[in-house]
Amino acid sequence: MELQAREGRLIAAAGLGRVLVATAVPVERDAVARALPHGGSGSGVDVITVGVGPGLAGASTGSVLTAAALQGSPYDLVVSAGIGGGFQPDAPVGALVVADEIVAADLGAETEDGFLSVTELGFGSVRHRPPGELVRRVAEATGARTGAVLTVSTVTGTAARAAALRERHPTALAEAMEGFGVAEAAVAQGVPVLEIRAVSNPVGPRDRAAWRIPDALAVLTEGFGKLVPVLVGWNRHDR
């Protein structure tokens, strides 16, 4: 704990100034806070609950980032953190995933020829790329698997949809509901973004008996605890 506290204080001095961690629900917030000295107080890391879904998550994150900037203490990194579904067999239940791409998987239009993303329709981008060097360091420190994390507005509940998503996004390892919204808010203010997910259930048919939420929250706590040394050594200009 003494080492963690010392590293927390060093965030401002050696690496990042301030880190905002956006979680969807209180149990995720608590899981992250348990990994931080004094729950993050005084460490340069603020953990907040932004709500479920990309719209609410983006609006909530944007409000916090704007308020911090207006107060003269902007954030240097935003992390979308929580649990999510994992695409089998590459991201089994209990795995930790760090996104090398944050993708809005169902933002677009259904057509007779199949799904067209907003990017293909010419209306913007459906993906954000976290800093590659930071992703590499996080994966190395935590043992996380690296791949795309999909943001969906409707959680996948069938094998057919899981297969369709994986066909469109071959590198996808996990899906959740907030990452792209958080990323949109961060990127709009020029702040780098990271997403990390602990897998609580397989992506596919809904089987509540197969969910392992407490186990995934424990994985999230353990994994996030290993992020502090990474943040200490990372400079936001290292892309």
Side-chain angles (χ1 to χ4, degrees), residues 112-156:
E112 292 183 356
D113 297 320
F115 179 83
L116 292 177
S117 70
V118 160
T119 301
E120 293 168 310
L121 293 170
F123 296 133
S125 176
V126 295
R127 69 187 66 237
H128 293 292
R129 297 182 186 275
E133 178 63 16
L134 180 58
V135 170
R136 184 191 67 78
R137 293 186 190 183
V138 169
E140 185 177 82
T142 64
R145 299 160 192 242
T146 302
V149 175
L150 307 184
T151 299
V152 295
S153 295
T154 301
V155 173
T156 299

mmCIF file of all heavy atoms in Angstrom, residues 112-156:
data_model
loop_
_atom_site.group_PDB
_atom_site.id
_atom_site.type_symbol
_atom_site.label_atom_id
_atom_site.label_comp_id
_atom_site.label_asym_id
_atom_site.label_seq_id
_atom_site.Cartn_x
_atom_site.Cartn_y
_atom_site.Cartn_z
ATOM 1 N N GLU A 112 -30.432 -3.495 -47.777
ATOM 2 C CA GLU A 112 -30.668 -4.796 -48.401
ATOM 3 C C GLU A 112 -29.365 -5.544 -48.625
ATOM 4 O O GLU A 112 -29.357 -6.772 -48.741
ATOM 5 C CB GLU A 112 -31.405 -4.605 -49.730
ATOM 6 C CG GLU A 112 -32.830 -4.104 -49.565
ATOM 7 C CD GLU A 112 -33.552 -3.989 -50.881
ATOM 8 O OE1 GLU A 112 -32.914 -4.231 -51.941
ATOM 9 O OE2 GLU A 112 -34.752 -3.661 -50.869
ATOM 10 N N ASP A 113 -28.272 -4.797 -48.705
ATOM 11 C CA ASP A 113 -26.964 -5.421 -48.923
ATOM 12 C C ASP A 113 -26.212 -5.658 -47.618
ATOM 13 O O ASP A 113 -25.051 -6.052 -47.636
ATOM 14 C CB ASP A 113 -26.113 -4.541 -49.842
ATOM 15 C CG ASP A 113 -26.741 -4.400 -51.232
ATOM 16 O OD1 ASP A 113 -27.277 -5.411 -51.736
ATOM 17 O OD2 ASP A 113 -26.709 -3.288 -51.780
ATOM 18 N N GLY A 114 -26.881 -5.379 -46.499
ATOM 19 C CA GLY A 114 -26.228 -5.583 -45.211
ATOM 20 C C GLY A 114 -26.053 -4.277 -44.453
ATOM 21 O O GLY A 114 -26.554 -3.222 -44.861
ATOM 22 N N PHE A 115 -25.316 -4.348 -43.369
ATOM 23 C CA PHE A 115 -25.113 -3.189 -42.505
ATOM 24 C C PHE A 115 -24.064 -2.253 -43.087
ATOM 25 O O PHE A 115 -23.020 -2.696 -43.571
ATOM 26 C CB PHE A 115 -24.666 -3.658 -41.120
ATOM 27 C CG PHE A 115 -24.395 -2.543 -40.158
ATOM 28 C CD1 PHE A 115 -25.426 -1.944 -39.456
ATOM 29 C CD2 PHE A 115 -23.100 -2.092 -39.946
ATOM 30 C CE1 PHE A 115 -25.181 -0.902 -38.569
ATOM 31 C CE2 PHE A 115 -22.835 -1.064 -39.059
ATOM 32 C CZ PHE A 115 -23.880 -0.467 -38.371
ATOM 33 N N LEU A 116 -24.352 -0.947 -43.036
ATOM 34 C CA LEU A 116 -23.387 0.073 -43.429
ATOM 35 C C LEU A 116 -23.125 0.972 -42.235
ATOM 36 O O LEU A 116 -24.062 1.509 -41.637
ATOM 37 C CB LEU A 116 -23.913 0.915 -44.590
ATOM 38 C CG LEU A 116 -24.074 0.215 -45.936
ATOM 39 C CD1 LEU A 116 -24.684 1.174 -46.962
ATOM 40 C CD2 LEU A 116 -22.739 -0.318 -46.427
ATOM 41 N N SER A 117 -21.857 1.136 -41.884
ATOM 42 C CA SER A 117 -21.508 1.978 -40.748
ATOM 43 C C SER A 117 -21.655 3.450 -41.116
ATOM 44 O O SER A 117 -21.749 3.815 -42.296
ATOM 45 C CB SER A 117 -20.067 1.713 -40.314
ATOM 46 O OG SER A 117 -19.156 2.214 -41.274
ATOM 47 N N VAL A 118 -21.665 4.293 -40.096
ATOM 48 C CA VAL A 118 -21.704 5.732 -40.322
ATOM 49 C C VAL A 118 -20.523 6.173 -41.182
ATOM 50 O O VAL A 118 -20.654 7.068 -42.029
ATOM 51 C CB VAL A 118 -21.708 6.470 -38.964
ATOM 52 C CG1 VAL A 118 -21.260 7.910 -39.124
ATOM 53 C CG2 VAL A 118 -23.106 6.452 -38.354
ATOM 54 N N THR A 119 -19.386 5.547 -40.998
ATOM 55 C CA THR A 119 -18.213 5.882 -41.810
ATOM 56 C C THR A 119 -18.474 5.571 -43.281
ATOM 57 O O THR A 119 -18.189 6.380 -44.176
ATOM 58 C CB THR A 119 -16.984 5.104 -41.329
ATOM 59 O OG1 THR A 119 -16.735 5.424 -39.963
ATOM 60 C CG2 THR A 119 -15.757 5.459 -42.154
ATOM 61 N N GLU A 120 -19.039 4.407 -43.548
ATOM 62 C CA GLU A 120 -19.337 4.020 -44.927
ATOM 63 C C GLU A 120 -20.424 4.904 -45.533
ATOM 64 O O GLU A 120 -20.458 5.112 -46.755
ATOM 65 C CB GLU A 120 -19.767 2.555 -44.965
ATOM 66 C CG GLU A 120 -18.639 1.599 -44.612
ATOM 67 C CD GLU A 120 -19.128 0.184 -44.367
ATOM 68 O OE1 GLU A 120 -20.082 0.009 -43.584
ATOM 69 O OE2 GLU A 120 -18.546 -0.746 -44.958
ATOM 70 N N LEU A 121 -21.293 5.449 -44.688
ATOM 71 C CA LEU A 121 -22.335 6.358 -45.165
ATOM 72 C C LEU A 121 -21.819 7.776 -45.376
ATOM 73 O O LEU A 121 -22.513 8.622 -45.930
ATOM 74 C CB LEU A 121 -23.489 6.386 -44.160
ATOM 75 C CG LEU A 121 -24.292 5.090 -44.015
ATOM 76 C CD1 LEU A 121 -25.226 5.187 -42.813
ATOM 77 C CD2 LEU A 121 -25.077 4.793 -45.286
ATOM 78 N N GLY A 122 -20.588 8.028 -44.914
ATOM 79 C CA GLY A 122 -19.975 9.340 -45.107
ATOM 80 C C GLY A 122 -20.331 10.370 -44.058
ATOM 81 O O GLY A 122 -20.207 11.570 -44.299
ATOM 82 N N PHE A 123 -20.728 9.892 -42.852
ATOM 83 C CA PHE A 123 -21.185 10.817 -41.814
ATOM 84 C C PHE A 123 -20.267 10.871 -40.598
ATOM 85 O O PHE A 123 -20.675 11.373 -39.552
ATOM 86 C CB PHE A 123 -22.600 10.446 -41.363
ATOM 87 C CG PHE A 123 -23.631 10.579 -42.440
ATOM 88 C CD1 PHE A 123 -24.546 9.569 -42.665
ATOM 89 C CD2 PHE A 123 -23.687 11.710 -43.241
ATOM 90 C CE1 PHE A 123 -25.508 9.686 -43.658
ATOM 91 C CE2 PHE A 123 -24.636 11.841 -44.236
ATOM 92 C CZ PHE A 123 -25.554 10.820 -44.458
ATOM 93 N N GLY A 124 -19.048 10.384 -40.702
ATOM 94 C CA GLY A 124 -18.152 10.455 -39.549
ATOM 95 C C GLY A 124 -17.437 9.140 -39.304
ATOM 96 O O GLY A 124 -17.519 8.209 -40.104
ATOM 97 N N SER A 125 -16.777 9.068 -38.175
ATOM 98 C CA SER A 125 -15.982 7.885 -37.841
ATOM 99 C C SER A 125 -16.678 7.039 -36.789
ATOM 100 O O SER A 125 -17.350 7.564 -35.897
ATOM 101 C CB SER A 125 -14.602 8.309 -37.313
ATOM 102 O OG SER A 125 -13.861 7.175 -36.908
ATOM 103 N N VAL A 126 -16.514 5.737 -36.889
ATOM 104 C CA VAL A 126 -17.080 4.827 -35.890
ATOM 105 C C VAL A 126 -15.997 4.191 -35.023
ATOM 106 O O VAL A 126 -16.260 3.256 -34.283
ATOM 107 C CB VAL A 126 -17.918 3.709 -36.547
ATOM 108 C CG1 VAL A 126 -19.133 4.288 -37.229
ATOM 109 C CG2 VAL A 126 -17.070 2.886 -37.525
ATOM 110 N N ARG A 127 -14.778 4.717 -35.101
ATOM 111 C CA ARG A 127 -13.711 4.106 -34.297
ATOM 112 C C ARG A 127 -12.734 5.160 -33.796
ATOM 113 O O ARG A 127 -12.476 6.170 -34.435
ATOM 114 C CB ARG A 127 -12.987 3.013 -35.081
ATOM 115 C CG ARG A 127 -12.143 3.463 -36.240
ATOM 116 C CD ARG A 127 -11.631 2.252 -37.014
ATOM 117 N NE ARG A 127 -12.727 1.530 -37.646
ATOM 118 C CZ ARG A 127 -12.991 0.240 -37.430
ATOM 119 N NH1 ARG A 127 -12.237 -0.479 -36.618
ATOM 120 N NH2 ARG A 127 -14.009 -0.340 -38.049
ATOM 121 N N HIS A 128 -12.200 4.878 -32.612
ATOM 122 C CA HIS A 128 -11.122 5.675 -32.035
ATOM 123 C C HIS A 128 -10.005 4.719 -31.649
ATOM 124 O O HIS A 128 -10.258 3.593 -31.188
ATOM 125 C CB HIS A 128 -11.599 6.445 -30.801
ATOM 126 C CG HIS A 128 -12.597 7.514 -31.108
ATOM 127 N ND1 HIS A 128 -12.271 8.654 -31.824
ATOM 128 C CD2 HIS A 128 -13.916 7.626 -30.809
ATOM 129 C CE1 HIS A 128 -13.341 9.416 -31.948
ATOM 130 N NE2 HIS A 128 -14.353 8.820 -31.339
ATOM 131 N N ARG A 129 -8.782 5.180 -31.813
ATOM 132 C CA ARG A 129 -7.619 4.351 -31.493
ATOM 133 C C ARG A 129 -6.892 4.931 -30.279
ATOM 134 O O ARG A 129 -6.350 6.039 -30.354
ATOM 135 C CB ARG A 129 -6.668 4.280 -32.686
ATOM 136 C CG ARG A 129 -7.274 3.612 -33.916
ATOM 137 C CD ARG A 129 -6.266 3.533 -35.053
ATOM 138 N NE ARG A 129 -6.869 3.039 -36.271
ATOM 139 C CZ ARG A 129 -7.009 1.749 -36.572
ATOM 140 N NH1 ARG A 129 -6.564 0.836 -35.717
ATOM 141 N NH2 ARG A 129 -7.576 1.378 -37.705
ATOM 142 N N PRO A 130 -6.860 4.216 -29.177
ATOM 143 C CA PRO A 130 -6.073 4.654 -28.018
ATOM 144 C C PRO A 130 -4.589 4.710 -28.378
ATOM 145 O O PRO A 130 -4.149 4.072 -29.352
ATOM 146 C CB PRO A 130 -6.348 3.577 -26.968
ATOM 147 C CG PRO A 130 -7.669 2.978 -27.378
ATOM 148 C CD PRO A 130 -7.643 3.006 -28.878
ATOM 149 N N PRO A 131 -3.799 5.461 -27.623
ATOM 150 C CA PRO A 131 -2.358 5.538 -27.900
ATOM 151 C C PRO A 131 -1.725 4.145 -27.897
ATOM 152 O O PRO A 131 -1.829 3.403 -26.923
ATOM 153 C CB PRO A 131 -1.826 6.395 -26.740
ATOM 154 C CG PRO A 131 -3.002 7.207 -26.299
ATOM 155 C CD PRO A 131 -4.186 6.323 -26.482
ATOM 156 N N GLY A 132 -1.073 3.807 -29.004
ATOM 157 C CA GLY A 132 -0.536 2.460 -29.155
ATOM 158 C C GLY A 132 0.476 2.068 -28.100
ATOM 159 O O GLY A 132 0.479 0.935 -27.611
ATOM 160 N N GLU A 133 1.349 2.988 -27.737
ATOM 161 C CA GLU A 133 2.370 2.679 -26.739
ATOM 162 C C GLU A 133 1.744 2.424 -25.378
ATOM 163 O O GLU A 133 2.168 1.534 -24.634
ATOM 164 C CB GLU A 133 3.383 3.821 -26.661
ATOM 165 C CG GLU A 133 4.474 3.638 -25.612
ATOM 166 C CD GLU A 133 5.366 2.424 -25.866
ATOM 167 O OE1 GLU A 133 5.351 1.881 -26.986
ATOM 168 O OE2 GLU A 133 6.087 2.022 -24.925
ATOM 169 N N LEU A 134 0.708 3.185 -25.043
ATOM 170 C CA LEU A 134 0.021 2.975 -23.766
ATOM 171 C C LEU A 134 -0.680 1.631 -23.756
ATOM 172 O O LEU A 134 -0.628 0.901 -22.757
ATOM 173 C CB LEU A 134 -0.983 4.106 -23.519
ATOM 174 C CG LEU A 134 -1.780 4.015 -22.217
ATOM 175 C CD1 LEU A 134 -0.849 3.988 -21.011
ATOM 176 C CD2 LEU A 134 -2.763 5.176 -22.116
ATOM 177 N N VAL A 135 -1.344 1.281 -24.845
ATOM 178 C CA VAL A 135 -2.011 -0.020 -24.940
ATOM 179 C C VAL A 135 -1.000 -1.145 -24.748
ATOM 180 O O VAL A 135 -1.250 -2.118 -24.018
ATOM 181 C CB VAL A 135 -2.739 -0.154 -26.292
ATOM 182 C CG1 VAL A 135 -3.225 -1.585 -26.502
ATOM 183 C CG2 VAL A 135 -3.901 0.817 -26.374
ATOM 184 N N ARG A 136 0.141 -1.009 -25.397
ATOM 185 C CA ARG A 136 1.172 -2.048 -25.287
ATOM 186 C C ARG A 136 1.638 -2.204 -23.847
ATOM 187 O O ARG A 136 1.776 -3.312 -23.337
ATOM 188 C CB ARG A 136 2.358 -1.706 -26.190
ATOM 189 C CG ARG A 136 3.445 -2.777 -26.230
ATOM 190 C CD ARG A 136 4.703 -2.288 -26.911
ATOM 191 N NE ARG A 136 5.372 -1.248 -26.142
ATOM 192 C CZ ARG A 136 6.123 -1.502 -25.069
ATOM 193 N NH1 ARG A 136 6.285 -2.744 -24.633
ATOM 194 N NH2 ARG A 136 6.706 -0.503 -24.439
ATOM 195 N N ARG A 137 1.874 -1.091 -23.176
ATOM 196 C CA ARG A 137 2.353 -1.141 -21.792
ATOM 197 C C ARG A 137 1.303 -1.706 -20.850
ATOM 198 O O ARG A 137 1.626 -2.468 -19.926
ATOM 199 C CB ARG A 137 2.774 0.254 -21.339
ATOM 200 C CG ARG A 137 3.997 0.797 -22.069
ATOM 201 C CD ARG A 137 4.435 2.117 -21.446
ATOM 202 N NE ARG A 137 5.453 2.773 -22.248
ATOM 203 C CZ ARG A 137 6.049 3.904 -21.907
ATOM 204 N NH1 ARG A 137 5.715 4.516 -20.777
ATOM 205 N NH2 ARG A 137 6.960 4.454 -22.694
ATOM 206 N N VAL A 138 0.050 -1.335 -21.068
ATOM 207 C CA VAL A 138 -1.022 -1.857 -20.222
ATOM 208 C C VAL A 138 -1.143 -3.367 -20.385
ATOM 209 O O VAL A 138 -1.265 -4.117 -19.402
ATOM 210 C CB VAL A 138 -2.356 -1.170 -20.560
ATOM 211 C CG1 VAL A 138 -3.528 -1.894 -19.891
ATOM 212 C CG2 VAL A 138 -2.330 0.286 -20.127
ATOM 213 N N ALA A 139 -1.114 -3.828 -21.628
ATOM 214 C CA ALA A 139 -1.219 -5.266 -21.872
ATOM 215 C C ALA A 139 -0.054 -6.019 -21.238
ATOM 216 O O ALA A 139 -0.234 -7.093 -20.644
ATOM 217 C CB ALA A 139 -1.267 -5.526 -23.373
ATOM 218 N N GLU A 140 1.119 -5.447 -21.343
ATOM 219 C CA GLU A 140 2.309 -6.097 -20.777
ATOM 220 C C GLU A 140 2.235 -6.143 -19.255
ATOM 221 O O GLU A 140 2.581 -7.157 -18.636
ATOM 222 C CB GLU A 140 3.549 -5.326 -21.214
ATOM 223 C CG GLU A 140 4.869 -5.955 -20.802
ATOM 224 C CD GLU A 140 6.051 -5.177 -21.333
ATOM 225 O OE1 GLU A 140 6.428 -4.167 -20.709
ATOM 226 O OE2 GLU A 140 6.583 -5.559 -22.391
ATOM 227 N N ALA A 141 1.759 -5.082 -18.634
ATOM 228 C CA ALA A 141 1.723 -5.013 -17.174
ATOM 229 C C ALA A 141 0.603 -5.841 -16.571
ATOM 230 O O ALA A 141 0.749 -6.393 -15.470
ATOM 231 C CB ALA A 141 1.582 -3.552 -16.729
ATOM 232 N N THR A 142 -0.520 -5.933 -17.260
ATOM 233 C CA THR A 142 -1.693 -6.578 -16.682
ATOM 234 C C THR A 142 -1.972 -7.972 -17.228
ATOM 235 O O THR A 142 -2.788 -8.701 -16.666
ATOM 236 C CB THR A 142 -2.947 -5.726 -16.924
ATOM 237 O OG1 THR A 142 -3.198 -5.652 -18.342
ATOM 238 C CG2 THR A 142 -2.774 -4.316 -16.363
ATOM 239 N N GLY A 143 -1.320 -8.330 -18.334
ATOM 240 C CA GLY A 143 -1.628 -9.602 -18.977
ATOM 241 C C GLY A 143 -2.909 -9.545 -19.795
ATOM 242 O O GLY A 143 -3.449 -10.580 -20.191
ATOM 243 N N ALA A 144 -3.403 -8.338 -20.066
ATOM 244 C CA ALA A 144 -4.646 -8.174 -20.821
ATOM 245 C C ALA A 144 -4.463 -8.585 -22.277
ATOM 246 O O ALA A 144 -3.378 -8.427 -22.857
ATOM 247 C CB ALA A 144 -5.131 -6.733 -20.746
ATOM 248 N N ARG A 145 -5.517 -9.085 -22.857
ATOM 249 C CA ARG A 145 -5.537 -9.372 -24.285
ATOM 250 C C ARG A 145 -5.854 -8.078 -25.028
ATOM 251 O O ARG A 145 -6.631 -7.256 -24.532
ATOM 252 C CB ARG A 145 -6.590 -10.448 -24.586
ATOM 253 C CG ARG A 145 -6.279 -11.749 -23.863
ATOM 254 C CD ARG A 145 -7.486 -12.636 -23.741
ATOM 255 N NE ARG A 145 -7.201 -13.722 -22.808
ATOM 256 C CZ ARG A 145 -7.199 -15.021 -23.128
ATOM 257 N NH1 ARG A 145 -7.501 -15.401 -24.360
ATOM 258 N NH2 ARG A 145 -6.918 -15.929 -22.222
ATOM 259 N N THR A 146 -5.298 -7.909 -26.217
ATOM 260 C CA THR A 146 -5.446 -6.673 -26.970
ATOM 261 C C THR A 146 -6.268 -6.902 -28.222
ATOM 262 O O THR A 146 -5.988 -7.812 -29.002
ATOM 263 C CB THR A 146 -4.062 -6.118 -27.361
ATOM 264 O OG1 THR A 146 -3.287 -5.911 -26.186
ATOM 265 C CG2 THR A 146 -4.199 -4.809 -28.095
ATOM 266 N N GLY A 147 -7.286 -6.077 -28.403
ATOM 267 C CA GLY A 147 -8.123 -6.172 -29.588
ATOM 268 C C GLY A 147 -9.169 -5.085 -29.563
ATOM 269 O O GLY A 147 -9.170 -4.229 -28.677
ATOM 270 N N ALA A 148 -10.071 -5.125 -30.525
ATOM 271 C CA ALA A 148 -11.136 -4.129 -30.579
ATOM 272 C C ALA A 148 -12.170 -4.417 -29.491
ATOM 273 O O ALA A 148 -12.513 -5.571 -29.226
ATOM 274 C CB ALA A 148 -11.803 -4.139 -31.946
ATOM 275 N N VAL A 149 -12.659 -3.347 -28.872
ATOM 276 C CA VAL A 149 -13.808 -3.442 -27.969
ATOM 277 C C VAL A 149 -14.957 -2.717 -28.651
ATOM 278 O O VAL A 149 -14.835 -1.540 -28.999
ATOM 279 C CB VAL A 149 -13.514 -2.841 -26.585
ATOM 280 C CG1 VAL A 149 -14.773 -2.858 -25.715
ATOM 281 C CG2 VAL A 149 -12.395 -3.605 -25.888
ATOM 282 N N LEU A 150 -16.041 -3.435 -28.857
ATOM 283 C CA LEU A 150 -17.192 -2.887 -29.555
ATOM 284 C C LEU A 150 -18.139 -2.211 -28.572
ATOM 285 O O LEU A 150 -18.398 -2.740 -27.491
ATOM 286 C CB LEU A 150 -17.947 -3.989 -30.301
ATOM 287 C CG LEU A 150 -17.133 -4.873 -31.244
ATOM 288 C CD1 LEU A 150 -18.053 -5.839 -31.982
ATOM 289 C CD2 LEU A 150 -16.320 -4.045 -32.227
ATOM 290 N N THR A 151 -18.647 -1.052 -28.962
ATOM 291 C CA THR A 151 -19.701 -0.386 -28.199
ATOM 292 C C THR A 151 -21.017 -0.638 -28.911
ATOM 293 O O THR A 151 -21.142 -0.378 -30.111
ATOM 294 C CB THR A 151 -19.451 1.122 -28.109
ATOM 295 O OG1 THR A 151 -18.212 1.354 -27.437
ATOM 296 C CG2 THR A 151 -20.561 1.811 -27.330
ATOM 297 N N VAL A 152 -21.995 -1.169 -28.180
ATOM 298 C CA VAL A 152 -23.312 -1.454 -28.747
ATOM 299 C C VAL A 152 -24.376 -0.762 -27.907
ATOM 300 O O VAL A 152 -24.208 -0.551 -26.712
ATOM 301 C CB VAL A 152 -23.586 -2.969 -28.809
ATOM 302 C CG1 VAL A 152 -22.632 -3.654 -29.775
ATOM 303 C CG2 VAL A 152 -23.472 -3.615 -27.421
ATOM 304 N N SER A 153 -25.480 -0.417 -28.550
ATOM 305 C CA SER A 153 -26.620 0.142 -27.829
ATOM 306 C C SER A 153 -27.577 -0.945 -27.373
ATOM 307 O O SER A 153 -28.375 -0.743 -26.471
ATOM 308 C CB SER A 153 -27.363 1.154 -28.708
ATOM 309 O OG SER A 153 -26.532 2.267 -28.986
ATOM 310 N N THR A 154 -27.490 -2.106 -28.016
ATOM 311 C CA THR A 154 -28.278 -3.275 -27.630
ATOM 312 C C THR A 154 -27.314 -4.427 -27.408
ATOM 313 O O THR A 154 -26.577 -4.804 -28.328
ATOM 314 C CB THR A 154 -29.297 -3.656 -28.724
ATOM 315 O OG1 THR A 154 -30.169 -2.552 -28.965
ATOM 316 C CG2 THR A 154 -30.111 -4.868 -28.305
ATOM 317 N N VAL A 155 -27.313 -4.978 -26.217
ATOM 318 C CA VAL A 155 -26.400 -6.076 -25.911
ATOM 319 C C VAL A 155 -26.748 -7.287 -26.770
ATOM 320 O O VAL A 155 -27.920 -7.622 -26.965
ATOM 321 C CB VAL A 155 -26.485 -6.439 -24.415
ATOM 322 C CG1 VAL A 155 -25.680 -7.695 -24.114
ATOM 323 C CG2 VAL A 155 -25.991 -5.274 -23.570
ATOM 324 N N THR A 156 -25.743 -7.938 -27.296
ATOM 325 C CA THR A 156 -25.940 -9.114 -28.141
ATOM 326 C C THR A 156 -26.578 -10.245 -27.344
ATOM 327 O O THR A 156 -26.122 -10.572 -26.239
ATOM 328 C CB THR A 156 -24.601 -9.571 -28.726
ATOM 329 O OG1 THR A 156 -24.072 -8.511 -29.530
ATOM 330 C CG2 THR A 156 -24.763 -10.814 -29.582
#
